[in-house]
Amino acid sequence: MKTIGMIAAMEVEMQSLRSYIENPVKEVISGITFVSGSLQGNQVVTAVCGVGKVFAALCAQTMILHFNPDMIINTGVAGALCAALPIGSIAVSSAVVQHDMDTSPLGDPVGLISGINKVYIPADNGLSGELSACAKVLGIKTETGVIASGDQFVSSPARKEEIARTFNAIACEMEGAAIGQVCYVNRVPFCVLRAISDTAEGASEIDFPKFVKEAAAQTVTLLLTFLRH
């Protein structure tokens, strides 16, 4: 039986999903609580990593070393970078980028990750396709494309437009590309799955608290459907 790892940044993004786990086992490693067990007939291990790329990378590496998952899905919410993603819709990663990685004064492309010499880290095509297909079956509007991550809560329409233009990205958040980098280095298939909690037009400080729970519920419904099939 394959083990599926699932990582979210915040408790609100994981709490509901964990309530479905049968025979849960908790283990705290490096300050992160991992909850494993059976979910829809699959072996899963879940974690709430905390906000930002450092916590996300720490969590992903710890999960890989201690639980040896066959794949990792980063779930949660994101801000849209395109009009095609309204609040409550789903963004699925074809690739991830770190929009705040910038050694361009040295002649590098913006976003280049030294050591692996990549700007775009590809998500697993099969996993992305399956998650996208489940969203369509459920009637949830979905787009597949580049998801950008950085240690910034991006609310400015001008900054959102800049990230979208530079990387052709459809959504932005704060953890997925760090998890993607760790998975890439460790050769673990991954995908980022994000429900949209605020739009490309701004007003994130208003939209995010209001819609985060509703948006997170969309990812839970989708993941349960994915696991059943």
Side-chain angles (χ1 to χ4, degrees):
M1 181 184 295
K2 290 185 176 181
T3 298
I4 302 169
M6 290 181 281
I7 299 173
M10 301 181 295
E11 188 67 34
V12 68
E13 298 169 316
M14 184 60 74
Q15 186 176 18
S16 177
L17 187 68
R18 279 179 166 172
S19 70
Y20 293 93
I21 295 177
E22 298 177 9
N23 303 314
V25 176
K26 293 183 181 181
E27 188 172 357
V28 180
I29 308 169
S30 299
I32 299 167
T33 300
F34 294 88
V35 179
S36 57
S38 177
L39 183 58
Q40 303 291 337
N42 299 274
Q43 183 64 31
V44 299
V45 54
T46 65
V48 177
C49 64
V51 175
K53 293 192 298 179
V54 175
F55 273 135
L58 171 66
C59 180
Q61 187 64 49
T62 302
M63 179 179 282
I64 289 169
L65 290 176
H66 286 266
F67 297 95
N68 193 31
D70 295 282
M71 65 190 74
I72 290 179
I73 299 170
N74 172 222
T75 184
V77 298
L81 296 180
C82 63
L85 287 169
I87 288 173
S89 59
I90 295 282
V92 178
S93 65
S94 59
V96 292
V97 298
Q98 296 182 33
H99 66 75
D100 59 349
M101 187 72 180
D102 187 0
T103 54
S104 59
L106 302 177
D108 298 330
V110 175
L112 183 76
I113 301 170
S114 301
I116 61 173
N117 201 36
K118 283 184 175 293
V119 174
Y120 299 92
I121 301 174
D124 182 77
N125 285 333
L127 187 53
S128 296
E130 289 179 35
L131 290 167
S132 180
C134 286
K136 290 176 182 177
V137 166
L138 291 167
I140 301 172
K141 183 173 177 55
T142 182
E143 294 287 334
T144 300
V146 176
I147 295 180
S149 306
D151 285 322
Q152 304 164 352
F153 186 88
V154 180
S155 59
S156 159
R159 178 59 177 149
K160 287 188 174 186
E161 196 279 330
E162 180 185 8
I163 295 169
R165 183 181 66 251
T166 302
F167 301 105
N168 195 29
I170 63 171
C172 63
E173 34 84 312
M174 300 179 67
E175 297 82 26
I179 292 169
Q181 182 177 345
V182 170
C183 288
Y184 177 82
V185 170
N186 286 277
R187 299 182 179 180
V188 175
F190 81 95
C191 183
V192 178
L193 173 73
R194 295 282 182 149
I196 299 303
S197 61
D198 57 276
T199 66
E201 287 75 28
S204 299
E205 70 280 0
I206 299 171
D207 292 348
F208 187 82
K210 181 178 180 181
F211 292 107
V212 63
K213 290 184 179 180
E214 176 185 330
Q218 288 281 60
T219 64
V220 172
T221 300
L222 197 158
L223 285 169
L224 291 173
T225 301
F226 165 74
L227 291 168
R228 279 197 297 270
H229 296 89

